[in-house]
Structures are given as C-alpha cells and as structure tokens.
Amino acid sequence: MKNILLTGGSGFIGSHLVRLMVNKYPDYNIVNMDKLTYAGNPENIKDIENKSNYTFVQADIVDDTAIFELFKKYNFDAVIHLAAESHVDRSISNPKEFIMTNIVGTLNLLNAARDAWKDNMQDKVFYHISTDEVYGSLSDTGFFYEDTSYDPRSPYSASKASSDHIVRAYFHTYGLPIKISNCSNNYGSHQFPEKLIPLMIHNIKHNKPLPVYGEGLNIRDWLWVVDHARAIDTIFHNGEVGETYNIGGHNEWTNIDLVHLLCDTMDDRLGNEKGTARKLITFVKDRAGHDMRYAIDATKIKDELGWVPSVTFEEGLASTVDWYLENEQWLDNVTSGAYRSYYEGQYEKR
Ligand code: NAD
Ligand code: TYD
C-alpha cells in the first residue's frame, strides 16, 4: 500500500496521470490535490471519481498551512507534483501568479515532504514534473539534453526553471529523494483551449479566425499526453533518485504546418471541401520573446528505462480531433464565461 499525493490532477496532464494510476494500481491510495483554477476541471476525471483508491482535496499549494495539514492527515510515501500555472501567454500578462504557484507552491510542498519524512527518507519520492522550456530556445539545429544549461525566457519558463533548481537544491542540501522530468509540448484530450491545438480545433469548428503568431515558423516538439503519463509512471517506479529525464517524441512541427494539418483533418471530419478551414488562418502580432524552437533528445529515458512513445503523431492527432468533436459539451463548458474575456484581450492584429 502506497499513499501518493498527486498535485494538479484535475488539469490536462494531471487528469491523464490520475486515470492511469488509479486504474493501474488498485493498491495505491491516490490523493489528487488541486486548487481548481480555470484550468482545473472535475469533469476531466469524472470516470474515476468514485473509485475506492481515489480521493480529491481542493487546496492551494501556496497555502503552506493547508499543505502541512494534508501531509499530517495522509502520511504520504510519495509526491508527484504537476500543479502549476502553465500557459506562457498568461505568464506574460500576469507573471506574479506564476511566481507564487510555480515557485512558492513548489517550495511549500518540498518543505512539507522534508518535514514529514525527516526521520526516514527510505523509499520516499518527491517527483517534480517540468518542461523543456527551461532550456530556452534553439535555432535550426541541436537538441535539449538533460545537461543542457538552463536559459528560460518567459515568466512561465523562468518560474519552472526556478522550481527545478529548488527541487535539486533540496536533494543536495537535505537529501530529499527527488526525481525531475522535462517534457516537450503535450497534446490530447482535455487540454484547455488556450493552447494551440485545442484552440485551433475549437475555432475551426466555430468558423472563427485561427490566430497564428508571427510568421508561424516557430517549432515545437509534440507528444501525446497519454505517452507523457506513461513516461511519468515509468520514471516514478524505475527512475533513479536524484536524476533528470527528458521526455519527447522526436516530432517537430512548425506552427503553420501543424495548423495546416489540423485544418485538413477538420475539413475531412466536418465534410467540408478541402481548403475551407485554411481560409480562416490569420497571422497576428507575435508573442513577446517567442521561443523559436524546442526539441528534446529522449535517448536517456529510452536507453535506461525502455520508454518510447506508443503512437505516431498522425494517430494521436486523429484521436485528439475526434475526442474534441465527440465532446462538444466539454469544450462549450470551458469556453463560456471567463474564457471569452481572456480570448478577447489576447490577440492583436499585425
Ligand atoms: P494545466 O494548466 O492544464 O493544469 C494545471 C493544474 O494545476 C490545474 O488543475 C490547476 O487547477 C492546478 N493548479 C494551478 N495552480 C494551483 C495551485 N496554486 N494549487 C493547486 N493546484 C493548482 O497544466 P498541464 O498542461 O496539465 O501541466 C501540468 C504540469 O506539466 C505543469 O507543471 C507543467 O509545467 C508541466 N508540463 C506541461 C506541458 C504541456 O505541454 N502542457 C509540457 C511539459 C510539462
Ligand atoms: P502553446 O500551445 O501556447 O505552447 P508553448 O507556448 O508552451 O509552446 O503554443 C504552441 C506554439 O503555438 C507556440 O509557438 C505559440 C504558437 N501559438 C500561436 O501561433 N497561436 C496561438 O493562438 C497560440 C495559443 C499559440
């Protein structure tokens, strides 16, 4: 029996991980602690909410008293920490929220784990989920490796880089048994439609302009979210304490090529003439400090832990498009209210 605290389990990646862990490990008690910000949605994990090995607690990781009480109550053996403010554009308009949640919130969890495990750290794990964005921006060639120097450029990536450094500092200074992974861009079901892929699917469906930043030539390396959850499961169980693992799909796309692919897939699904959705593409003012290219080298996790992605991008993207089309209510629910005012303030014409 293991008691596991999983933070941010009602968000995009967290919900896929909660589903995987609750179904795969009936002997573990999984406690999902989430503040339920705009990005946290209980609908994302409706299918497992009544399972006997699952508990939900609504709390804010910035609230250190609440975190300490939670650790006292549940006697955790492990933490898998995903809770974060995660959207670069929001970090540009409101950096403080990112500093509080991503840095101070992570510090609070580390302090609570250190205190709870002070007499015996044997078999305990504090696993911090991070992003490839901490490594900065690549030009046309090269990859991010586990030992690439950090060079974050947005308030989001700077806050994640800071939290990674603090997690490592707790390993070296206090001997806290930590693991870290840095993953490339995820896509899949249940992603909040402020991020590129669900935003484009939503707008194509509603015949709205498709806002592409700059020339659309920035490159991202895309991985199916279920494969990220599988990688986290692998690292949690088999990764070495104190180690970092990069996770990625060797799947680089310029934004404009990806938007073209989505347009053609959507035309096909909606029965529209080919080329219909592409007419919606609108080039808008570039994101401030827009990182040019991300590309992960995932050799270490493949060679040492045997993890590789389970689907091709074509398969993963097709199933993602189908999910959004079959779950219109989910999209309609999350795009009502606050989403609309966010969206209206976000894009400026070039
Ligand atoms: P998300 O924004 O979809 O979900 C974040 C979750 O954290 C939400 O459920 C939210 O309610 C919760 N949360 C936010 N602030 C909180 C607080 N103060 N206290 C408690 N809960 C809080 O994010 P995501 O895309 O699922 O990302 C999860 C993690 O994975 C993040 O740490 C992110 O940095 C990392 N990551 C994301 C990607 C990606 O492509 N999305 C890639 C690599 C790494
Ligand atoms: P995003 O999904 O926000 O992820 P990240 O910034 O963390 O990589 O954006 C992916 C890429 O798509 C990024 O280069 C910015 C670009 N983008 C657009 O061109 N238009 C949009 O409306 C959004 C949200 C992103």
Side-chain angles (χ1 to χ4, degrees):
M1 186 64 98
K2 259 193 189 356
N3 290 327
I4 300 177
L5 171 63
L6 203 154
T7 71
S10 304
F12 166 49
I13 301 169
S15 63
H16 285 275
L17 184 65
V18 165
R19 181 171 302 105
L20 183 157
M21 301 283 289
V22 165
N23 288 327
K24 186 170 173 186
Y25 302 106
D27 289 350
Y28 293 180
N29 280 321
I30 310 287
V31 176
N32 167 23
M33 193 269 268
D34 197 299
K35 181 180 173 183
L36 298 182
T37 66
Y38 77 94
N41 185 350
E43 287 288 313
N44 292 354
I45 36 174
K46 244 199 146 18
D47 52 321
I48 51 99
E49 69 182 2
N50 293 322
K51 298 257 180 173
S52 58
N53 61 340
Y54 173 74
T55 306
F56 175 72
V57 177
Q58 184 168 9
D60 183 343
I61 56 171
V62 177
D63 179 353
D64 55 354
T65 311
I67 302 306
F68 267 76
E69 277 169 12
L70 197 71
F71 271 76
K72 286 219 169 66
K73 183 167 176 191
Y74 287 100
N75 199 17
F76 294 120
D77 301 296
V79 178
I80 309 181
H81 173 38
L82 292 94
E85 287 291 336
S86 69
H87 189 41
V88 173
D89 291 324
R90 287 185 194 253
S91 83
I92 293 168
S93 45
N94 185 13
K96 190 168 177 191
E97 201 79 47
F98 286 69
I99 305 307
M100 294 311 292
T101 287
N102 298 359
I103 305 178
V104 178
T106 301
L107 180 76
N108 288 340
L109 289 164
L110 286 164
N111 283 338
R114 189 182 155 219
D115 181 64
W117 301 340
K118 60 180 178 294
D119 295 329
N120 182 10
M121 297 216 184
Q122 193 71 35
D123 297 329
K124 306 287 193 269
V125 179
F126 187 106
Y127 180 8
H128 177 62
I129 306 303
S130 193
T131 167
D132 61 355
E133 303 192 24
V134 299
Y135 297 121
S137 179
L138 293 165
S139 52
D140 293 348
T141 56
F143 293 96
F144 296 137
Y145 300 92
E146 283 80 0
D147 59 359
T148 299
S149 296
Y150 277 26
D151 186 20
R153 286 142 179 269
S154 73
Y156 164 64
S157 54
S159 68
K160 291 296 290 188
S162 175
S163 63
D164 291 10
H165 286 315
I166 298 167
V167 171
R168 284 196 189 96
Y170 271 56
F171 171 67
H172 292 293
T173 309
Y174 306 115
L176 195 79
I178 64 101
K179 300 178 184 185
I180 298 182
S181 56
N182 297 80
C183 188
S184 61
N185 284 59
N186 284 211
Y187 70 93
S189 70
H190 304 91
Q191 186 170 31
F192 195 78
E194 63 190 351
K195 306 270 168 65
L196 182 73
I197 289 179
L199 186 142
M200 294 296 165
I201 294 173
H202 177 68
N203 285 14
I204 295 169
K205 219 184 105 218
H206 292 277
N207 216 21
K208 283 172 58 176
L210 308 179
V212 175
Y213 289 142
E215 310 289 330
L217 297 177
N218 302 66
I219 292 174
R220 297 292 181 267
D221 177 1
W222 294 93
L223 181 71
W224 190 39
V225 63
V226 175
D227 280 330
H228 187 191
R230 286 177 50 247
I232 293 173
D233 176 26
T234 302
I235 293 166
F236 178 66
H237 287 97
N238 303 325
E240 293 283 329
V241 164
E243 287 292 310
T244 295
Y245 298 87
N246 280 353
I247 307 170
H250 278 295
N251 178 42
E252 294 180 47
W253 287 77
T254 62
N255 292 335
I256 193 66
D257 283 348
L258 178 48
V259 172
H260 282 155
L261 176 63
L262 275 172
C263 286
D264 297 347
T265 309
M266 287 290 285
D267 281 344
D268 178 58
R269 293 295 194 280
L270 298 172
N272 291 336
E273 196 182 319
K274 191 164 181 222
T276 308
R278 287 191 186 207
K279 293 198 187 104
L280 297 169
I281 293 172
T282 310
F283 292 95
V284 296
K285 187 163 173 257
D286 208 352
R287 173 186 280 173
H290 196 172
D291 287 341
M292 192 60 211
R293 173 172 168 255
Y294 303 144
I296 278 277
D297 180 286
T299 306
K300 179 175 172 181
I301 184 172
K302 175 170 169 266
D303 287 356
E304 293 185 12
L305 305 180
W307 174 91
V308 288
S310 69
V311 296
T312 64
F313 187 54
E314 286 69 20
E315 290 164 343
L317 198 71
S319 77
T320 300
V321 167
D322 289 340
W323 185 86
Y324 285 100
L325 291 176
E326 284 158 14
N327 290 274
E328 285 185 43
Q329 194 59 50
W330 185 93
L331 256 185
D332 289 345
N333 289 349
V334 301
T335 51
S336 60
Y339 178 80
R340 290 209 188 126
S341 47
Y342 161 79
Y343 193 87
E344 276 151 24
Q346 184 54 41
Y347 297 103
E348 285 175 48
K349 286 215 168 65
R350 284 208 304 178

